[in-house]
Amino acid sequence: MQKESNISRAFTWLEPGPVILVTTNNGKRNNVCTISWHMVMDFSPHIAITTGNWNQSFDTILHTRECVLCIPGLDLLDDVLYAGMHSGTKIDKFARLHLTALQGNFVKAPLIEECLACIECKLESHIETYGILIFKGLQLWENKSRKENRTAHAVGDGSFISDGHIITKYRKNMRTKIPDGCTRF
């Protein structure tokens, strides 16, 4: 039976996309922050994240107009939490977390070798009222050697959900709606 609940919890039903690490480079050093509010906007790929000026990476992204969106495995959840709870103005989070920075093809912000995938991005738009940054993905990098392929999904209340069970039996029925080359499994 459905029961009325507090509207302030509504987002906890929608939010569970994978928590991501966003890397930047301000010309002097690399930084990494944690973002759980993001969305894929279409197949092109355009990706939006929500953040604001409380986050050092936000200012760097506005200035450099680039970043890398990195998808960590569940085994990196402690690092993800640390990156989200500490400011890059005070510490070098790459060094503190022993993350390996790799150079991509299109942006100065680093890939994170330990992540499942990384997407080099250029900023296309900023919707200031909502702190929404819209990126165009330029290059996807995948680390197929990772043993841990599950991702962590923030519920928004300090808890996380992990995935891992992959269902592909419906793919044939949906084939006409999916662009060529975008199957992952």
Side-chain angles (χ1 to χ4, degrees):
M1 173 189 301
Q2 294 285 341
K3 293 183 181 180
E4 291 181 13
S5 287
N6 187 336
I7 189 65
S8 67
R9 285 195 352 239
F11 77 96
T12 67
W13 286 96
L14 300 171
E15 180 163 330
V19 175
I20 62 174
L21 293 170
V22 177
T23 66
T24 57
N25 180 293
N26 65 6
K28 297 177 185 170
R29 72 177 206 184
N30 296 328
N31 192 26
V32 58
C33 71
T34 301
I35 298 288
S36 62
W37 291 350
H38 54 80
M39 71 175 178
V40 175
M41 298 177 63
D42 57 33
F43 289 112
S44 59
H46 283 90
I47 304 156
I49 67 171
T50 301
T51 188
N53 62 5
W54 62 86
N55 184 330
Q56 178 192 3
S57 295
F58 177 77
D59 291 331
T60 302
I61 290 168
L62 289 181
H63 177 72
T64 64
R65 303 194 60 77
E66 65 179 40
C67 70
V68 176
L69 306 178
C70 302
I71 298 85
L74 184 61
D75 57 330
L76 294 177
L77 188 54
D78 287 340
D79 293 344
V80 167
L81 294 175
Y82 187 91
M85 299 298 293
H86 294 84
S87 172
T89 59
K90 299 177 181 175
I91 55 168
D92 179 344
K93 290 189 257 184
F94 269 84
R96 168 68 173 79
L97 298 173
H98 307 287
L99 297 173
T100 308
L102 300 175
Q103 185 60 52
N105 290 335
F106 297 100
V107 302
K108 290 180 184 171
L111 314 173
I112 298 176
E113 181 176 23
E114 293 79 9
C115 284
L116 297 169
C118 297
I119 306 165
E120 291 183 74
C121 296
K122 286 285 189 181
L123 180 65
E124 286 201 336
S125 186
H126 173 213
I127 303 171
E128 192 170 347
T129 303
Y130 300 103
I132 296 173
L133 302 172
I134 300 173
F135 300 101
K136 179 175 184 177
L138 303 174
Q139 178 69 59
L140 171 66
W141 299 82
E142 294 177 299
N143 186 345
K144 302 235 181 204
S145 68
R146 299 272 299 145
K147 291 180 182 169
E148 176 59 85
N149 287 300
R150 295 174 296 166
T151 56
H153 305 265
V155 174
D157 64 356
S159 61
F160 294 84
I161 296 170
S162 178
D163 63 359
H165 183 72
I166 300 163
I167 301 166
T168 60
K169 70 180 184 179
Y170 302 105
R171 184 177 288 149
K172 184 177 177 185
N173 297 348
M174 298 175 66
R175 186 67 198 121
T176 61
K177 301 292 184 191
I178 300 170
D180 288 336
C182 75
T183 54
R184 194 169 135 211
F185 300 103

